Amino acid sequence: MGVNTDFWTDRRVLLTGHTGFKGSWLAIWLRSLGAEVYGIALAPENEPSLWSTAGLASCVDGSFTDIRDQSALTDKVLAFAPEIVFHLAAQPLVRASYRDPVETYSTNVMGTVHLLEALRQTESVKAIVVVTTDKCYENQEWQWPYRETDRLGGFDPYSNSKACAELVCASYRDAFFTPAGVALATARAGNVIGGGDWGAERLLPDVLRAWDAGEELTLRYPGATRPWQHVLEPLSGYLKLAEYLLAVGTSGPSAWNFGPDNDSVVSVESVVARMAALWTYDQARWRCVEASQPHEAGVLALDSSRARSQLAWRPHWTLDMALQRTLDWHSAWRKGDDLQALCLQQIALHQGESV
């Protein structure tokens, strides 16, 4: 079952992080569904960005507001009066969190607190989806996937800050939102890929930057295993989760995993080798570095049984399909095609619609 198009028509949706990679894709999707979207985020950190190349400033209303500014954030939230909220704004990088842990915690923890405080004052809100990460679990380096009931933790400041955000949500849910009849759930997804990601220190953007320039790619963690998925996979889960929260209210589970099938849980080097097999430009080269690197989890996978059984959600694309869609998008960008139109085409393909 796909996303319910009729559900989203004229819904007032607040989307934080709407200028980021995932946020831009979600903004495009929500607009295509007929939702009234208001975004709150910083200006895009990287240029080019999906926000700019797809021309989203002309069709998505919003504000460049820092979620660490509680007063400004509250004013924007109250003025828009949303019914549904997706919270994606974050400092999203592990290595950046080592360089500046204070910014990471202030954004990911206190930024979440500021948003939830603003939403406490917003009578119109009915459902809140806070997006964290698969890295919020206390990683035991075991082979089986993590379930929503497993212990939270996090070695690096980024992962730990997202575990903290999960605890913040649990407290606000129990203390404030459930008594008020507002449904709040957290969503944990794997490593996302897709067109329009130029983020720093992420695998596919690093691959494309290096190979576009005819350079050799350097792999820092070639053996690290991750749950790779196209960005549309978890986004479809977030949309279906919001639909579910509106239907069941505060009675549903509070945390949800959205991970790929087992055959898409592979090593970093395996992803690069698969990408090289699809690369049609100059020679694709890479090397693995032996130097000491900041700690990251070695093995990580998610159990998404809850989403499959209760939301009728499932991954639509294999890893190879996701890589091909990413490369298709990148090739269209190189040619100067209409990228917002391409995003809409890929969304339709993902949902099994004719294009």
Side-chain angles (χ1 to χ4, degrees), residues 31-64:
R31 287 280 298 170
S32 74
L33 292 169
E36 182 180 351
V37 182
Y38 187 84
I40 292 177
L42 299 177
E45 184 174 353
N46 305 290
E47 287 299 344
S49 67
L50 177 56
W51 172 260
S52 61
T53 57
L56 297 185
S58 65
C59 61
V60 178
D61 192 17
S63 167
F64 290 159

Tab-separated table of all heavy atoms in Angstrom, residues 31-64:
chain	number	residue	atom	x	y	z
A	31	ARG	N	4.118	18.668	-1.350
A	31	ARG	CA	3.478	19.611	-2.268
A	31	ARG	C	2.730	18.870	-3.379
A	31	ARG	O	1.628	19.270	-3.766
A	31	ARG	CB	4.535	20.536	-2.872
A	31	ARG	CG	5.079	21.574	-1.916
A	31	ARG	CD	4.148	22.744	-1.775
A	31	ARG	NE	3.964	23.425	-3.047
A	31	ARG	CZ	3.058	24.372	-3.287
A	31	ARG	NH1	2.216	24.714	-2.329
A	31	ARG	NH2	2.972	24.963	-4.468
A	32	SER	N	3.319	17.783	-3.879
A	32	SER	CA	2.663	17.022	-4.941
A	32	SER	C	1.390	16.354	-4.456
A	32	SER	O	0.488	16.070	-5.250
A	32	SER	CB	3.625	15.979	-5.511
A	32	SER	OG	3.800	14.884	-4.623
A	33	LEU	N	1.311	16.103	-3.149
A	33	LEU	CA	0.124	15.479	-2.560
A	33	LEU	C	-0.971	16.494	-2.244
A	33	LEU	O	-2.069	16.112	-1.832
A	33	LEU	CB	0.512	14.736	-1.279
A	33	LEU	CG	1.397	13.504	-1.449
A	33	LEU	CD1	1.911	13.027	-0.089
A	33	LEU	CD2	0.645	12.385	-2.155
A	34	GLY	N	-0.671	17.772	-2.419
A	34	GLY	CA	-1.671	18.804	-2.170
A	34	GLY	C	-1.638	19.389	-0.783
A	34	GLY	O	-2.557	20.133	-0.393
A	35	ALA	N	-0.576	19.091	0.006
A	35	ALA	CA	-0.466	19.641	1.349
A	35	ALA	C	-0.027	21.096	1.297
A	35	ALA	O	0.656	21.531	0.366
A	35	ALA	CB	0.525	18.829	2.177
A	36	GLU	N	-0.400	21.853	2.320
A	36	GLU	CA	0.090	23.218	2.499
A	36	GLU	C	1.309	23.128	3.411
A	36	GLU	O	1.182	22.831	4.602
A	36	GLU	CB	-0.989	24.102	3.112
A	36	GLU	CG	-0.562	25.555	3.285
A	36	GLU	CD	-1.642	26.430	3.888
A	36	GLU	OE1	-2.792	25.955	4.022
A	36	GLU	OE2	-1.334	27.589	4.227
A	37	VAL	N	2.469	23.374	2.867
A	37	VAL	CA	3.734	23.124	3.569
A	37	VAL	C	4.385	24.434	3.986
A	37	VAL	O	4.473	25.382	3.186
A	37	VAL	CB	4.709	22.330	2.678
A	37	VAL	CG1	6.000	22.034	3.432
A	37	VAL	CG2	4.067	21.043	2.186
A	38	TYR	N	4.845	24.463	5.233
A	38	TYR	CA	5.664	25.587	5.709
A	38	TYR	C	6.950	25.012	6.283
A	38	TYR	O	6.917	24.121	7.137
A	38	TYR	CB	4.936	26.402	6.772
A	38	TYR	CG	5.681	27.665	7.167
A	38	TYR	CD1	5.549	28.834	6.411
A	38	TYR	CD2	6.534	27.690	8.269
A	38	TYR	CE1	6.226	29.988	6.746
A	38	TYR	CE2	7.224	28.838	8.608
A	38	TYR	CZ	7.070	29.988	7.848
A	38	TYR	OH	7.764	31.126	8.180
A	39	GLY	N	8.084	25.516	5.798
A	39	GLY	CA	9.367	24.989	6.224
A	39	GLY	C	10.099	25.924	7.160
A	39	GLY	O	10.004	27.149	7.039
A	40	ILE	N	10.833	25.336	8.103
A	40	ILE	CA	11.716	26.082	8.991
A	40	ILE	C	13.074	25.401	8.959
A	40	ILE	O	13.185	24.203	9.237
A	40	ILE	CB	11.175	26.121	10.435
A	40	ILE	CG1	9.896	26.956	10.505
A	40	ILE	CG2	12.232	26.664	11.397
A	40	ILE	CD1	9.247	26.980	11.879
A	41	ALA	N	14.103	26.151	8.589
A	41	ALA	CA	15.441	25.569	8.464
A	41	ALA	C	16.458	26.686	8.314
A	41	ALA	O	16.108	27.864	8.153
A	41	ALA	CB	15.514	24.652	7.236
A	42	LEU	N	17.725	26.314	8.357
A	42	LEU	CA	18.789	27.211	7.943
A	42	LEU	C	18.864	27.215	6.421
A	42	LEU	O	18.318	26.332	5.753
A	42	LEU	CB	20.121	26.751	8.528
A	42	LEU	CG	20.225	26.714	10.066
A	42	LEU	CD1	21.586	26.173	10.473
A	42	LEU	CD2	19.986	28.092	10.663
A	43	ALA	N	19.552	28.202	5.869
A	43	ALA	CA	19.819	28.189	4.432
A	43	ALA	C	20.648	26.953	4.108
A	43	ALA	O	21.369	26.430	4.966
A	43	ALA	CB	20.563	29.454	4.030
A	44	PRO	N	20.550	26.420	2.883
A	44	PRO	CA	21.318	25.221	2.535
A	44	PRO	C	22.798	25.406	2.854
A	44	PRO	O	23.397	26.437	2.530
A	44	PRO	CB	21.081	25.087	1.028
A	44	PRO	CG	19.769	25.763	0.795
A	44	PRO	CD	19.714	26.898	1.757
A	45	GLU	N	23.383	24.383	3.479
A	45	GLU	CA	24.784	24.461	3.887
A	45	GLU	C	25.721	24.269	2.707
A	45	GLU	O	26.821	24.832	2.669
A	45	GLU	CB	25.075	23.399	4.954
A	45	GLU	CG	26.475	23.454	5.506
A	45	GLU	CD	26.677	22.495	6.655
A	45	GLU	OE1	25.699	21.882	7.118
A	45	GLU	OE2	27.832	22.354	7.108
A	46	ASN	N	25.291	23.464	1.730
A	46	ASN	CA	26.133	23.165	0.574
A	46	ASN	C	25.502	23.721	-0.691
A	46	ASN	O	24.281	23.726	-0.834
A	46	ASN	CB	26.306	21.644	0.424
A	46	ASN	CG	26.843	20.991	1.667
A	46	ASN	OD1	27.993	21.174	2.024
A	46	ASN	ND2	25.999	20.206	2.345
A	47	GLU	N	26.325	24.177	-1.590
A	47	GLU	CA	25.876	24.550	-2.927
A	47	GLU	C	26.801	23.886	-3.941
A	47	GLU	O	28.021	24.017	-3.822
A	47	GLU	CB	25.859	26.066	-3.107
A	47	GLU	CG	24.730	26.771	-2.372
A	47	GLU	CD	23.328	26.341	-2.808
A	47	GLU	OE1	23.198	25.718	-3.891
A	47	GLU	OE2	22.379	26.610	-2.059
A	48	PRO	N	26.232	23.184	-4.929
A	48	PRO	CA	24.793	23.086	-5.174
A	48	PRO	C	24.071	22.295	-4.090
A	48	PRO	O	24.695	21.571	-3.316
A	48	PRO	CB	24.715	22.374	-6.519
A	48	PRO	CG	25.969	21.572	-6.591
A	48	PRO	CD	27.013	22.380	-5.913
A	49	SER	N	22.756	22.452	-4.060
A	49	SER	CA	21.899	21.710	-3.132
A	49	SER	C	20.639	21.321	-3.880
A	49	SER	O	20.293	21.927	-4.903
A	49	SER	CB	21.542	22.567	-1.919
A	49	SER	OG	20.714	23.664	-2.310
A	50	LEU	N	19.944	20.330	-3.363
A	50	LEU	CA	18.658	19.949	-3.967
A	50	LEU	C	17.686	21.115	-3.885
A	50	LEU	O	16.915	21.372	-4.817
A	50	LEU	CB	18.091	18.716	-3.269
A	50	LEU	CG	16.714	18.233	-3.746
A	50	LEU	CD1	16.715	17.955	-5.240
A	50	LEU	CD2	16.293	16.987	-2.972
A	51	TRP	N	17.715	21.841	-2.779
A	51	TRP	CA	16.831	22.994	-2.593
A	51	TRP	C	16.978	23.992	-3.740
A	51	TRP	O	15.987	24.459	-4.307
A	51	TRP	CB	17.148	23.655	-1.261
A	51	TRP	CG	16.446	24.947	-1.022
A	51	TRP	CD1	16.944	26.211	-1.171
A	51	TRP	CD2	15.088	25.109	-0.586
A	51	TRP	NE1	15.996	27.147	-0.857
A	51	TRP	CE2	14.843	26.506	-0.489
A	51	TRP	CE3	14.063	24.230	-0.267
A	51	TRP	CZ2	13.616	27.028	-0.090
A	51	TRP	CZ3	12.838	24.739	0.135
A	51	TRP	CH2	12.622	26.121	0.219
A	52	SER	N	18.220	24.291	-4.116
A	52	SER	CA	18.447	25.289	-5.156
A	52	SER	C	18.282	24.711	-6.558
A	52	SER	O	17.643	25.322	-7.419
A	52	SER	CB	19.832	25.918	-4.999
A	52	SER	OG	20.852	24.938	-5.113
A	53	THR	N	18.835	23.526	-6.810
A	53	THR	CA	18.800	22.982	-8.170
A	53	THR	C	17.393	22.595	-8.601
A	53	THR	O	17.082	22.602	-9.797
A	53	THR	CB	19.731	21.773	-8.312
A	53	THR	OG1	19.369	20.772	-7.351
A	53	THR	CG2	21.186	22.173	-8.101
A	54	ALA	N	16.536	22.239	-7.650
A	54	ALA	CA	15.149	21.890	-7.982
A	54	ALA	C	14.208	23.091	-7.899
A	54	ALA	O	13.002	22.940	-8.094
A	54	ALA	CB	14.648	20.769	-7.073
A	55	GLY	N	14.747	24.282	-7.589
A	55	GLY	CA	13.940	25.494	-7.581
A	55	GLY	C	12.846	25.509	-6.543
A	55	GLY	O	11.741	26.015	-6.779
A	56	LEU	N	13.140	25.009	-5.337
A	56	LEU	CA	12.086	24.857	-4.336
A	56	LEU	C	11.693	26.170	-3.673
A	56	LEU	O	10.594	26.284	-3.119
A	56	LEU	CB	12.521	23.847	-3.277
A	56	LEU	CG	12.755	22.431	-3.804
A	56	LEU	CD1	13.072	21.481	-2.667
A	56	LEU	CD2	11.548	21.930	-4.578
A	57	ALA	N	12.569	27.170	-3.693
A	57	ALA	CA	12.234	28.440	-3.068
A	57	ALA	C	11.000	29.079	-3.703
A	57	ALA	O	10.275	29.841	-3.052
A	57	ALA	CB	13.422	29.396	-3.157
A	58	SER	N	10.735	28.753	-4.965
A	58	SER	CA	9.600	29.349	-5.674
A	58	SER	C	8.272	28.660	-5.382
A	58	SER	O	7.215	29.204	-5.718
A	58	SER	CB	9.852	29.317	-7.186
A	58	SER	OG	9.915	27.972	-7.654
A	59	CYS	N	8.315	27.498	-4.746
A	59	CYS	CA	7.061	26.761	-4.554
A	59	CYS	C	6.843	26.255	-3.125
A	59	CYS	O	5.783	25.708	-2.829
A	59	CYS	CB	6.982	25.584	-5.528
A	59	CYS	SG	8.286	24.360	-5.339
A	60	VAL	N	7.829	26.417	-2.239
A	60	VAL	CA	7.681	25.984	-0.858
A	60	VAL	C	7.854	27.190	0.054
A	60	VAL	O	8.924	27.810	0.093
A	60	VAL	CB	8.711	24.895	-0.490
A	60	VAL	CG1	8.552	24.490	0.981
A	60	VAL	CG2	8.551	23.676	-1.387
A	61	ASP	N	6.815	27.524	0.789
A	61	ASP	CA	6.861	28.656	1.717
A	61	ASP	C	7.659	28.258	2.956
A	61	ASP	O	7.657	27.093	3.369
A	61	ASP	CB	5.447	29.065	2.107
A	61	ASP	CG	5.417	30.399	2.828
A	61	ASP	OD1	6.413	31.154	2.742
A	61	ASP	OD2	4.402	30.693	3.490
A	62	GLY	N	8.344	29.229	3.546
A	62	GLY	CA	9.102	28.896	4.738
A	62	GLY	C	9.949	30.043	5.221
A	62	GLY	O	9.855	31.174	4.726
A	63	SER	N	10.785	29.732	6.207
A	63	SER	CA	11.614	30.743	6.851
A	63	SER	C	12.978	30.159	7.170
A	63	SER	O	13.086	28.999	7.588
A	63	SER	CB	10.937	31.203	8.154
A	63	SER	OG	11.819	31.955	8.958
A	64	PHE	N	14.028	30.963	6.982
A	64	PHE	CA	15.352	30.579	7.434
A	64	PHE	C	15.469	30.975	8.908
A	64	PHE	O	15.805	32.112	9.248
A	64	PHE	CB	16.434	31.273	6.601
A	64	PHE	CG	16.527	30.787	5.186
A	64	PHE	CD1	17.123	31.560	4.215
A	64	PHE	CD2	16.010	29.546	4.816
A	64	PHE	CE1	17.219	31.120	2.903
A	64	PHE	CE2	16.095	29.096	3.507
A	64	PHE	CZ	16.702	29.887	2.549
